[in-house]
Amino acid sequence: MSFDHQQVEKKWQTYWHKEKTFKANTDSEKEKVYALDMFPYPSGAGLHVGHPEGYTATDIFSRMKRMQGYEVLHPMGWDAFGLPAEQYAIDTGNSPEAFTETNIATFKRQIQELGFSYDWDREISTMDPNYYKWTQWIFTKLYEHGLAYMDEVAVNWCPALGTVLANEEVIDGKSERGGHPVVRKPMKQWMLKITAYADRLLKDLEELDWPESIKDMQRNWIGRSEGAEVTFGMDGHDEEFTVFTTRPDTLFGATYAVFSPEHPLVEQITTEAQKRAVEAYQHEVATKSELERTDLAKNKTGVFTGAYAINPVNQQKIPIWIADYVLMSYGSGAIMAVPAHDERDYEFAVKFDLPIVEVVAGGDISKEAYTGEGEHVNSEFLNGLGTAEAISGMIDRLERESKGEKKVTYRLRDWLFARQRYWGEPIPIIHWEDGNTTTVPEEELPLELPEMTEIKPSGTGESPLANNPDWVNVTDPETGMKGRRETSTMPQWAGSCWYFLRFVDPDNTEQLADPELLKKWLPVDIYIGGAEHAVLHLLYARFWHKFLYDIGVVPTKEPFMKLFNQGMILGEGNEKMSKSKGNVVNPDDIIASHGADTLRLYEMFMGPLDAAVAWSTNGLDGARRFLDRVWRLIVTEDGELSGKITEVENASLEKVYHETVKKVTEDFENLHFNTGISQLMVFINEGYKAEQLPKSYVEGFVKLLSPVAPHLAEELWERLGHQGTISYEPWPGYDETKLVEDEVEIVVQIMGKVRAKLQVPADITKDELEKEALEHEKVQSQLEGKTVRKVIVVPGKLVNIVAN
RNA sequence: GCGGGUGUGGCGGAAUUGGCAGACGCGCUAGAUUUAGGAUCUAGUGUCUUCGGACGUGGGGGUUCAAGUCCCUCCACCCGCACCA
């Protein structure tokens, strides 16, 4: 009787579902483990073979932890709001909600068919009003604490589509749909002040067990840089402006200043003669897309404003230019240009024939900018100093004269939180006719998304919600004042910023989650998902979490203690899977042909979890072959237990069994599933060679296999004479003393090359070992005519003889 | 350009503190079994070889009794950021 995966998998999935085998017990006295997957966006395409990779990893971890006696929280939910559903609604006139519901049903069926041990009683969906009530609640708290504000910022505006687009909808400066041009347009938008948390987001990375590469990406994204703010006066104006510089020591070399074209002072200071040129340049820059702006990176452009700034340290008049290489969004939107010691300024100065003054010796400024360290020259009181002393010397001077101060700037910008979209959480804000803005009172939350028969862009740049007067217009019942609801909705990131908190207490109607329960389950012990979320999702979620920590809602500073990014599964030709290439593998097909256990095993065996590995049908067959081999070793053709299985203890498999328990336990703990599985294979290979199989080893093996191939393991466990599930059977232990053998093999090297091997007692002394090695026949013949200079003995491993 | 990473058989990949390179799987070869098999079991499988051995972890150099592992240098590929003052 062979392993019938269709029947066995169905049987145990039904059992788990009926028995609620994986329900997490909140009142448990056991130590907790919280194993979390990045929940999916339920797209219309259904599950991809990439999804089960990370899910299997956390599932193996969760199943092992249950057997090791932990209380495990392992939930799953849906990141349900998203652009494709809205686009679908616009195209077909159907409801995005119904569309998403259907997709969720498909995802859920597919995920359940893979046999993951989720506690389905905790399933959540970000589009459920009972869920987004709390997303909105968090927003109102952010607003109350001054962390949500409105500001005029540049957005991707597509005139042809009459709507604002998210960055991911803009490809090469054109709209993803239709290929229409997209321009940057200033619009009033909701922003979240993530920059207020920049320092903490940076600093607290230290204590996280995350891949160093991800931490680095976050560090770069936050982009902290230390320097100084310097105040410049202006010739003929009372106005002052500030610049940020990391090199205040080079202030004597500042020969001009550059404003961003969007800088608010530009209009005021531009002289009559330069006015037309400046306005033309500003217009040109405004209509450029991000892509065009970066495309022109090689060729600097700019225009002189006609105005002059006063260098605060030597009272020199320097011209003020505008150029798009200075960004309004970083620092103060204005720079002091030191062409001798900054590559960008150098390039600009050469192009526009501006003076270049050396203030740090060591380079050749007639050829290129010198950004290295060196002795200061042409810098009055800084002359002769090195870079570090000159920086602090200049800052001291500026601070004494109130012309500047030490300053830290971040690359991180505030988070553009509004989308002019229908399919998202409504931002719970009312704009009143008297100009006031209030949040929707907490007792009126959730502010539900109205059902709309037709979802189409408003044409004004507002979301489709602006087309719904019943929803948009409100009147204060007490004062009769009229108001208008905010029509923007939240970005998809919002719901995923805190979903892991809701899993802890998914049905709570009074609060986001019970603080006692949060205290029990937080932080997340292991969080696995794709590296594409390395920065945004993880940074946003950390930001919200820290805010919630500050207002006393959550008990931990950080949400995710350990993070791991699974790699990508590529097509057989080593290319990304895509519909157009026709190399997409559908998990449904694999489950039907090979079974869920095979898919799980194969995906874990392909290679290290974080590597990008190509799909291989042969490899998949191999995974199935291994499970068949396991089955046949234990179950006979007639469906009986193999006669090789004996109650009697037997020393022949003892060592390999204990090795297997040790290696599998350690490897699974460290997410090294490929090597753990290879050890399971080694055990089975030995099992085939053995004449007798002690039943206790077989049972231990089935337990070790069960996190990877749970259906097969449950079935074998039952056939071994047990009742109920294997899921909470104690994880096997191993005995270190069984791992050491009485005799060990020693390698004898001559000049580092292996010439002979010896079998010796494990407790042999160094001297004896050396003696035996030198007496060995092969060694003797090799040493003929040579003098032994030195013998290195590594007990238990090798002897190396140096001779010439 | 900056930051991070990777490079090992025909292929995916293993290799504590430097200590037998190539575990395990795929593929391939042979034998057994079978009416037959693209099934199963067993064995073999880095390259070259005069069968002694020699060579071999992207290239070159170094440290060491000993290097895939440490150091220097070069090359290739991947990921992220990209005028961040």
Side-chain angles (χ1 to χ4, degrees), chain A residues 295-341:
Chain A
D295 233 20
L296 295 170
K298 297 281 170 284
N299 198 0
K300 296 251 179 310
T301 59
V303 173
F304 179 42
T305 62
Y308 289 86
I310 309 287
N311 186 332
V313 81
N314 60 9
Q315 314 309 318
Q316 257 186 23
K317 269 173 65 173
I318 57 174
I320 302 174
W321 287 61
I322 60 170
D324 67 356
Y325 83 91
V326 175
L327 310 174
M328 196 59 225
S329 50
Y330 185 76
S332 60
I335 61 157
M336 64 178 212
V338 184
H341 306 291

Side-chain angles (χ1 to χ4, degrees), chain A residues 48 55 246 384 440 612 658 762 800:
Chain A
H48 178 271
Y55 299 166
T246 52
V440 173
H658 286 273
N800 190 12

Side-chain angles (χ1 to χ4, degrees), chain A residues 689-749:
Chain A
K689 287 176 199 157
E691 279 169 22
Q692 303 268 294
L693 295 172
K695 193 174 181 196
S696 61
Y697 291 175
V698 172
E699 291 183 341
F701 171 83
V702 170
K703 288 180 185 176
L704 294 175
L705 179 66
S706 70
V708 183
H711 309 88
L712 173 67
E714 291 277 25
E715 185 66 20
L716 291 174
W717 187 247
E718 188 177 75
R719 284 166 186 269
L720 284 162
H722 302 280
Q723 289 200 330
T725 178
I726 196 172
S727 303
Y728 294 92
E729 292 296 326
W731 188 254
Y734 60 92
D735 184 347
E736 283 284 356
T737 63
K738 299 287 167 52
L739 299 176
V740 280
E741 292 195 87
D742 303 339
E743 283 225 318
V744 288
E745 191 184 61
I746 297 291
V747 174
V748 184
Q749 298 179 332

Side-chain angles (χ1 to χ4, degrees), chain A residues 231-242:
Chain A
T231 306
F232 281 70
M234 271 185 275
D235 187 42
H237 293 272
D238 291 337
E239 304 284 347
E240 294 185 324
F241 67 93
T242 60

